[in-house]
Amino acid sequence: MKRPVQDLSVQAALSGKRILLTGTTGFLAKVVLEKLIRAVPDVGRLILLIRGSRGCDSARERFEREIATSSVFDRLRAEQPDFLENFFAEKIECLTGEITEPGFGLPASKFVELAARVDVIINAAASVNFREPLDQALAINSLSLHHLTSLARAADAPLIQVSTCYVNGYNRGEMREQVVAPAGAPIPRHRDGYYDVEALIGKLQKKIERIKASVRDPRQLERRLTELGIAESNRYGWNDTYTFTKWMGEQLAMRGMQGRPLTILRPSIIESALQEPAPGWIEGVKVADAIILAYARGKTSFFPAKTDEVIDIIPADLVANSIVLATAEAIAEPDQHRIYQCCSGSGNPILMGDVIRLLEGESKRNWKAYDRLFYAEPKHDFRVVNNTSFRLMMGAMGAAVAVRTAARRLLGMTEVSRSLEALRTTQTLAITFSFYTQPRYRFHNTRLLALAQRFRTEDSFLFPVDARLINWPDYLCRIHMAGLNRYALRRRDTAAVSATVSAALPAPAPEAAR
């Protein structure tokens, strides 16, 4: 029997519960962690699965060095310093483990012990590199679901799997909160609704092993595995390795959690916080920000995009709130599989052209206010072109740069010219991100909004998820630009311009932009 409207409560569902959270060295999971600490202080325990790293042998050491010191906790440090310190000491448990290994690399007895004290699992761990070598993307985004569902079954606990709206791949039109069908080569579908990807994964692993057996040079091996990932993703209906492997992760989660509570939460393009923990809070340079940064540093002035289509951007805190609500529901009503999309395109759409216009206008008006982003006044308009024009422009620019480069070499000038660097940056940005700036569908979140309405009134204020709260000019021009400047970038005197931009971009690859 279903509960009546507004009968769910985050506090009632999560009080005293032990939540295993993965991915806390990343952006989104930090926002989730901070929100749980601040808004659900009666939670029983937060168990953070963290792998060791260079210089940090234990999860606790890495937590203290990389997570506890994050600016995501600045608000709590200012308002409730003693509470935060006590919470870290008493309710944060750091577990050293590797999500890509069976049992997380733990001894069997430790795995059983862990299962006995976990009430719910939130998996926010992922490789978000769009051009990750296929073996690594498979391990993190897909195969890790074998290990997570094993724990969920042993613990008899719900699993909240954070995915992405872009598992919709090359499909077109209205994308709703349901299982996604491949847009490319056929993949068999199970009678329970999910797709049987085990045979596909086996084929991919054989191709990976053949490449590893024939290529010894590490750089060439990485390039070959990246190319394989892109080719296979395109073949089955996805733009990149990230979205392809996240889709397979969804299928493995549904298979592993048959008859058990599973929630798949798909965000769209996650950007800086709208309100919490602070307006504009962000960590690192995200999808749109790499293009903004390249424009600010004079490394690109044009890009392939569709200005008259809706681009789906969602602030990180709305995503984190959605995860918390979905977790509370899974504990209160652990009886089915659910899929939610956290997005803005259906309720509060904004066109790609309007995003460009707003950000370019703010950049030209107030560039001096963003001292870490702009080192000089932007002199050029940011031009948007279609794919055909982009290829023609790149070809013409490439020919001109080649002539200038040859002349410079004859004169003994060996350093990379600014024009060549700009050409490479534009090409890399287009290869990596042009799919996302040429939207072909609109995401819907009807079920997520209906879920939010089932929570008590106080939760609607504490955990808002509705994108209609966003005032786009205010968010993009005041909140996001300021947040990018303050939180994501270092001061000018700490790094070279080229290093800053390069760090935001993946390595160049030979494929042309789609």
Side-chain angles (χ1 to χ4, degrees), residues 183-398:
I187 299 172
R189 190 167 190 174
H190 193 274
R191 63 177 180 273
D192 288 336
Y194 63 86
Y195 287 82
D196 282 317
V197 296
E198 294 286 6
L200 169 59
I201 291 173
K203 291 178 182 178
L204 296 175
Q205 289 176 320
K206 287 181 180 179
K207 292 181 179 182
I208 289 168
E209 292 307 314
R210 284 198 293 268
I211 291 176
K212 287 184 175 180
S214 63
V215 179
R216 298 302 179 194
D217 178 74
R219 290 187 178 181
Q220 186 181 5
L221 177 62
E222 181 177 348
R223 180 180 62 81
R224 289 282 302 279
L225 291 175
T226 299
E227 291 173 350
L228 175 66
I230 296 299
E232 293 296 324
S233 301
N234 295 168
R235 177 186 176 191
Y236 288 98
W238 283 269
N239 177 70
D240 47 62
T241 315
Y242 167 61
T243 51
F244 181 37
T245 55
K246 289 296 284 186
W247 178 83
M248 287 189 282
E250 286 192 5
Q251 313 314 306
L252 293 177
M254 286 184 275
R255 176 185 177 181
M257 296 298 286
Q258 286 185 77
R260 296 174 182 272
L262 166 71
T263 300
I264 294 171
L265 193 289
R266 298 174 183 153
S268 56
I269 298 173
I270 307 174
E271 285 291 353
S272 62
L274 178 65
Q275 297 173 330
E276 297 181 324
W281 190 83
I282 192 170
E283 184 178 67
V285 174
K286 310 307 172 191
V287 174
D289 308 326
I291 302 170
I292 295 171
L293 185 59
Y295 171 69
R297 303 295 164 80
K299 294 185 178 297
T300 191
S301 59
F302 68 99
F303 199 77
K306 292 183 177 180
T307 58
D308 58 348
E309 296 289 347
V310 172
I311 183 168
D312 206 300
I313 297 169
I314 194 75
D317 48 340
L318 301 191
V319 181
N321 292 337
S322 301
I323 292 170
V324 174
L325 295 188
T327 303
E329 180 197 35
I331 290 175
E333 299 179 350
D335 57 357
Q336 58 181 302
H337 287 192
R338 304 173 172 101
I339 297 175
Y340 296 122
Q341 293 183 159
C342 186
C343 50
S344 61
S346 56
N348 187 10
I350 183 168
L351 300 180
M352 185 72 217
D354 290 333
V355 172
I356 293 170
R357 175 181 56 81
L358 288 168
L359 292 174
E360 183 182 41
E362 176 67 11
S363 299
K364 290 183 175 180
R365 285 191 305 271
N366 298 317
W367 66 273
K368 290 182 180 179
Y370 309 114
D371 58 324
R372 302 183 189 185
L373 183 57
F374 290 93
Y375 295 164
E377 181 179 3
K379 300 293 186 182
H380 302 287
D381 293 338
F382 190 86
R383 291 171 292 168
V384 176
V385 297
N386 60 35
N387 275 339
T388 300
S389 298
F390 179 78
R391 284 191 285 268
L392 290 172
M393 292 172 69
M394 289 295 290
M397 289 177 62

Side-chain angles (χ1 to χ4, degrees), residues 129 153 160 164 187 202 222 231 234 249 253 325 342 376 394 460 494 497:
N129 182 353
R153 291 194 304 270
I160 313 301
T164 171
I187 299 172
E222 181 177 348
N234 295 168
L325 295 188
C342 186
M394 289 295 290
S460 67
T494 61
V497 174

